[in-house]
Amino acid sequence: MWSFACIAFELATGDMLFTPKVGQGFSEDEDHLALMMELLGKMPRKVATAGMKSKDFFDRHGDLKRIRRLKFWPLNKLLIERYKLSESDAHEFSEFFLPLLDFAPEKRPTAEQCLQHPWLMEKDSVPDEMRNEFSVEKVDVGISNLKIKVGK
């Protein structure tokens, strides 16, 4: 589900969710961990210290050893400020998206649970001004009625 969330973010924004780089005094892996925590909050100590290489990156409290100052930037704020989403769109996307990135894999929703999320449920989201630009045709594919947009 973590990988799906990263792909969903890239599809929605055109950017990769986490783009780590090597810095002075820290590795690309450490930057990747820092980027994750800046978006999602501090990693739970139990998760941070449970990996085979945890001691390379984290102290016994679950804090990064070499990157001490994190700049927390919640997803809502990122979507609004950098990607110019409306507050309601940013909120809805974040509500769907953030549970997929829970640091504890057992707490992440399953694919089946995601499909039941209101954000993915059918909405009539075509603005009136766009209705003349394309038509929507229903095709019976056995799973459900799939809407296909036929453009100009």
Side-chain angles (χ1 to χ4, degrees):
M1 294 315 299
W2 183 282
S3 296
F4 168 71
C6 292
I7 292 168
F9 182 88
E10 189 170 347
L11 287 170
T13 66
D15 289 333
M16 291 177 57
L17 181 57
F18 305 115
T19 309
K21 57 189 175 308
V22 176
Q24 196 166 23
F26 59 87
S27 69
E28 185 176 3
D29 289 336
E30 289 167 299
D31 190 42
H32 199 174
L33 292 165
L35 291 170
M36 291 162 44
M37 289 191 288
E38 286 176 333
L39 183 71
L40 305 170
K42 185 178 176 190
M43 189 177 295
R45 183 183 167 277
K46 181 180 176 184
V47 175
T49 59
M52 288 179 53
K53 294 187 176 186
S54 291
K55 290 183 178 171
D56 296 341
F57 305 117
F58 296 99
D59 64 20
R60 63 187 174 97
H61 303 290
D63 295 317
L64 289 169
K65 286 182 174 180
R66 286 172 282 281
I67 300 177
R68 305 305 289 177
R69 288 194 175 143
L70 299 178
K71 298 171 189 148
F72 295 100
W73 202 12
L75 181 62
N76 272 5
K77 193 173 181 180
L78 174 71
L79 292 170
I80 292 166
E81 292 181 15
R82 183 176 292 170
Y83 298 104
K84 308 303 181 207
L85 267 65
S86 69
E87 284 190 33
S88 62
D89 287 345
H91 174 76
E92 288 176 16
F93 184 68
S94 296
E95 194 175 79
F96 169 75
F97 183 79
L98 287 173
L100 302 172
L101 294 172
D102 196 299
F103 284 120
E106 68 276 4
K107 291 184 179 178
R108 295 180 201 144
T110 64
E112 184 177 355
Q113 290 168 327
C114 288
L115 289 173
Q116 301 307 313
H117 193 280
W119 189 72
L120 291 179
M121 302 309 281
E122 183 177 341
K123 300 184 214 183
D124 186 16
S125 61
V126 180
D128 289 337
E129 62 272 10
M130 291 182 69
R131 289 187 193 279
N132 294 332
E133 293 185 29
F134 60 85
S135 63
V136 177
E137 299 174 15
K138 289 189 176 184
V139 179
D140 188 358
V141 294
I143 298 171
S144 66
N145 286 330
L146 175 67
K147 288 185 178 182
I148 299 177
K149 297 176 185 176
V150 181
K152 292 180 180 179

